[in-house]
Amino acid sequence: MSRYELRFSGAGGQGLITAGIIMAKAASIYEGKEAVQSQSYGPEARGGASKSEVIISDGPIDYPKVTRCDALLAMTQEACNKYSDDLKDDGVLLYDSDLVTKLPEGNFKKVGFNIINTAKNEVGREIVANIVALGAMVALTGQISKENAEKAVLSSVPEAFLELNKKAFNMGYEKALAAK
Amino acid sequence: MAKKVAFLQGNEAAAQGALYAGCKFFAGYPITPSTEVAEVMSVELPKVGGKFIQMEDEIGAMAALIGGSLAGSKALTSTSGPGLSLKQELIGYACIAEVPCVIVNVMRGGPSTGMPTGPSQSDIMSAKWGTHGDHPAICLVPASVQELYEETIRAFNLAEKYRTPVMIMPDEIVAHMRERIVFAEPGEIEVIDRTAPTVEPSKYKPYDTSFGDVPPLAAFGSGYKFHVTGLNKLPDGFPTTKAEYVQAEEERQVRKVEGNAADIMKWEEYLCDDADIIVVAFGSTSRSARFAVDEARKQGIKAGLFRLITFWPFPEARLLELSKKAKGFITPEMNLGMSHGVVKAAVEGNAPVLGIFRVDGEPINPGQIIDKMKEVK
């Protein structure tokens, strides 16, 4: 049975738990697979290390946490240092190239672009950086279709921000493909 | 019609389960990592004619819960370790006064303030021995979002059926994890309501055992008047120190649960029949254990999983039976050996019981369990 393990990591307040939830929801509700999302976070509302883990499988999922990571998103250098140890050789690391300058060693694929700055300057709001990252993760992992992922994004964000999030998601998706 | 599905968090599912069971009253005080239960109830209860109240603290919340239940409502509170400690005196009160209510306690690191956002399984002894004195204890320990939903419904059923507090204790991982949940249709899952008195109000006694071990409970405001106290009591609810009443009543209160353990206990056996090594686990740890059991079987180790769904009453008779064939037991748990001692007592020395104890806020991973299996001779 295929088991695909993703980890979204960075600092508290970057919206990584939300990104993980949307990824898992897309797989579970729209793609018809099994998915579990879990999280670990510190007591701080902002800052501090934060991670959200998603397991996607064709069958029932027992252990809900990452055993060996297939895909890692690192939105801070600290998260990249802390969470890249168990990344598989054929896995993929997506990182924010402005914030993560020291890359870990390993044979896994490394894909970076300026995620936060893309949200801020090209999409127009820094707050959607997590959705830019999500779009990129969807493109790089190939676990769920772009259409189903977009449906999950749009059903998870406030109505007033549908267009903004759609733009963010697509921008992330395209940039990841270009940087691949 | 297709059933309603959603991608839900454990705590949200617990609240949905309570609503399905007909809960109409919530009293609580917010605390990580249980707060989402209260959040959902605060939004949903007013829509179904229920009441939500945030009290000044956990003690007040537990007192309000008892009041709400005595007024006839199915009542819920949610909390975590430090809040559970504060509620304990009144949980004992609910036990002796025989007031049905449900307490969701999400287990986080302890003791005291401990680790508010870290997972733990260290409140299970508190579920049985947290309040002083002999008293009945029911504690459910679900392992998935769907099960948390269904077990919350069952918690209400048991509380109402046996007129006693019921605790449901997901660990932080189960409570904060998100999975797809399939909602039950109305009528699909049995919902039990407490038995109301049939005698006229002037003849009613709240602890009249001529009706059996679980006497009917009248709702305040429905024309029935009765006395409620934390003291040992007579059938009419007034205090007594008469030896014959006190002894019989205490025994009856415990018997309500222990005598009906077969109805209350629930567990799942996975590959236990031919197992040399049986992992006894609950909550999120049982998911690691299942992963480990599957891996071990691939490596030629005959492993099985005994997954507790009810922790109290504890299924010691079944474990004793399994211990006659097994070479060893393993108890992985996010505490320093709470279920380990209970399993050891249950198997009466028939097989060694090896523990894996973790309290660093990290889950027990399958690799740790497989390593431990290799220590069983």
Side-chain angles (χ1 to χ4, degrees):
Chain A
M1 189 191 319
S2 71
R3 180 183 163 104
Y4 195 88
E5 307 187 338
L6 301 93
R7 184 185 284 136
F8 297 73
S9 71
Q14 285 182 325
L16 298 163
I17 289 175
T18 304
I21 295 170
I22 298 174
M23 185 84 177
K25 184 177 169 184
S28 161
I29 302 291
Y30 297 100
E31 192 83 14
K33 293 187 176 183
E34 297 287 335
V36 182
Q37 180 269 343
S38 68
Q39 62 209 41
S40 127
Y41 61 103
E44 310 90 343
R46 297 278 182 277
S50 166
K51 69 170 170 175
S52 173
E53 296 186 337
V54 177
I55 313 295
I56 299 174
S57 175
D58 295 327
I61 296 162
D62 35 40
Y63 188 57
K65 302 272 182 181
V66 166
T67 56
R68 291 204 61 211
C69 194
D70 290 289
L72 170 69
L73 165 69
M75 294 283 277
T76 63
Q77 184 69 53
E78 187 195 354
C80 189
N81 299 346
K82 203 170 165 185
Y83 298 123
S84 55
D85 282 352
D86 59 1
L87 196 51
K88 287 181 184 168
D89 277 351
D90 58 352
V92 58
L93 166 70
L94 170 68
Y95 60 96
D96 186 305
S97 54
D98 290 333
L99 297 172
V100 179
T101 49
K102 202 169 162 290
L103 288 176
E105 285 175 24
N107 294 329
F108 42 82
K109 192 184 288 178
K110 294 159 196 166
V111 179
F113 69 95
N114 54 350
I115 298 171
I116 291 176
N117 263 319
T118 298
K120 200 172 171 179
N121 301 325
E122 295 179 54
V123 184
R125 290 281 298 274
E126 188 176 334
I127 199 166
V128 292
N130 62 337
I131 304 298
V132 173
L134 174 66
M137 286 292 268
V138 169
L140 294 173
T141 57
Q143 290 298 303
I144 43 176
S145 72
K146 188 179 177 217
E147 292 67 33
N148 284 333
E150 196 181 282
K151 273 186 211 163
V153 170
L154 298 182
S155 70
S156 305
V157 300
E159 208 160 318
F161 301 104
L162 288 180
E163 280 311 311
L164 183 74
N165 280 283
K166 198 174 172 175
K167 193 174 164 191
F169 175 80
N170 282 290
M171 189 80 79
Y173 191 93
E174 298 305 330
K175 287 220 169 189
L177 285 187
K180 205 166 155 180
Chain B
M1 203 177 81
K3 283 193 182 177
K4 199 178 149 205
V5 299
F7 195 69
L8 229 57
Q9 189 193 58
N11 279 336
E12 295 167 344
Q16 292 298 333
L19 292 162
Y20 185 94
C23 173
K24 288 289 191 300
F25 185 71
F26 182 102
Y29 188 80
I31 181 168
T32 299
S34 75
T35 305
E36 296 86 357
V37 180
E39 283 176 359
V40 174
M41 295 308 278
S42 72
V43 172
E44 297 300 325
L45 272 179
K47 296 182 193 167
V48 294
K51 288 267 183 281
F52 173 95
I53 183 164
Q54 180 175 321
M55 295 296 287
E56 72 277 20
D57 60 25
E58 286 89 345
I59 303 173
M62 194 61 213
L65 203 65
I66 292 169
S69 180
L70 284 171
S73 290
K74 289 187 181 179
L76 175 72
T77 190
S78 59
T79 193
S80 186
L84 183 67
S85 291
L86 290 171
K87 287 180 197 289
Q88 289 291 4
E89 182 190 352
L90 283 154
I91 289 171
Y93 189 102
C95 287
I96 198 169
E98 299 178 67
V99 183
C101 54
V102 175
I103 299 133
V104 174
N105 177 72
V106 180
M107 292 189 278
R108 74 185 216 188
S112 189
T113 319
M115 205 157 32
T117 58
S120 149
Q121 296 178 313
S122 58
D123 296 346
I124 48 172
M125 284 298 166
S126 207
K128 190 165 171 70
W129 305 117
T131 194
H132 64 277
D134 290 297
H135 57 88
I138 301 177
C139 176
L140 315 179
V141 282
S144 70
V145 173
Q146 184 76 35
E147 194 167 74
L148 184 42
Y149 170 71
E150 289 168 9
E151 285 299 289
T152 305
I153 300 170
R154 195 167 77 95
F156 274 94
N157 286 345
L158 295 172
E160 298 289 322
K161 191 172 177 182
Y162 297 114
R163 261 187 85 171
T164 192
V166 172
M167 300 205 197
I168 179 156
M169 292 201 175
D171 54 68
E172 184 273 343
I173 294 174
V174 173
H176 273 165
M177 183 168 79
R178 287 176 175 84
E179 288 178 303
R180 179 172 50 218
I181 171 178
V182 182
F183 290 100
E185 307 272 0
E188 186 182 337
I189 296 179
E190 183 188 23
V191 168
I192 297 172
D193 296 323
R194 69 188 67 165
T195 308
T198 47
V199 298
E200 59 178 272
S202 65
K203 301 230 169 68
Y204 177 68
K205 289 177 180 159
Y207 307 101
D208 183 350
T209 52
S210 67
F211 292 95
D213 276 350
V214 188
L217 178 59
F220 275 95
S222 65
Y224 289 81
K225 282 184 262 181
F226 59 98
H227 191 256
V228 180
T229 175
L231 292 160
N232 286 100
K233 75 279 180 188
L234 292 163
D236 63 7
F238 284 96
T240 185
T241 53
K242 280 185 189 155
E244 67 272 27
Y245 277 109
V246 174
Q247 177 86 20
E249 278 290 278
E250 289 236 7
E251 286 180 359
R252 177 181 63 80
Q253 284 162 32
V254 172
R255 188 171 65 232
K256 283 195 300 184
V257 167
E258 298 301 326
N260 291 295
D263 178 46
I264 301 166
M265 287 187 302
K266 200 170 162 188
W267 69 85
E268 181 190 26
E269 291 178 24
Y270 177 64
L271 305 178
C272 283
D273 286 344
D274 68 336
D276 291 332
I277 300 167
I278 296 176
V279 185
V280 182
F282 59 98
S284 67
T285 307
S286 71
R287 300 173 69 123
S288 308
R290 190 167 169 128
F291 189 104
V293 163
D294 284 338
E295 284 300 310
R297 288 266 169 181
K298 283 180 206 161
Q299 296 176 26
I301 302 169
K302 279 188 181 171
L305 168 64
F306 189 94
R307 182 168 77 85
L308 297 157
I309 301 170
T310 305
F311 198 95
W312 304 114
F314 193 82
E316 56 244 323
R318 180 60 187 147
L319 282 170
L320 179 62
E321 205 178 323
L322 288 168
S323 71
K324 288 168 187 160
K325 285 196 297 181
K327 289 184 186 151
F329 289 82
I330 296 174
T331 55
E333 50 192 327
M334 289 187 283
N335 61 56
L336 291 178
M338 292 183 178
S339 80
H340 182 248
V342 185
V343 173
K344 243 176 137 169
V347 303
E348 297 181 354
N350 285 334
V353 183
L354 281 62
I356 303 170
F357 311 140
R358 196 153 188 184
V359 291
D360 62 352
E362 292 297 324
I364 290 174
N365 60 57
Q368 278 183 282
I369 301 173
I370 295 169
D371 288 347
K372 192 57 81 174
M373 285 176 185
K374 291 173 182 165
E375 289 176 28
V376 177
K377 298 283 182 299

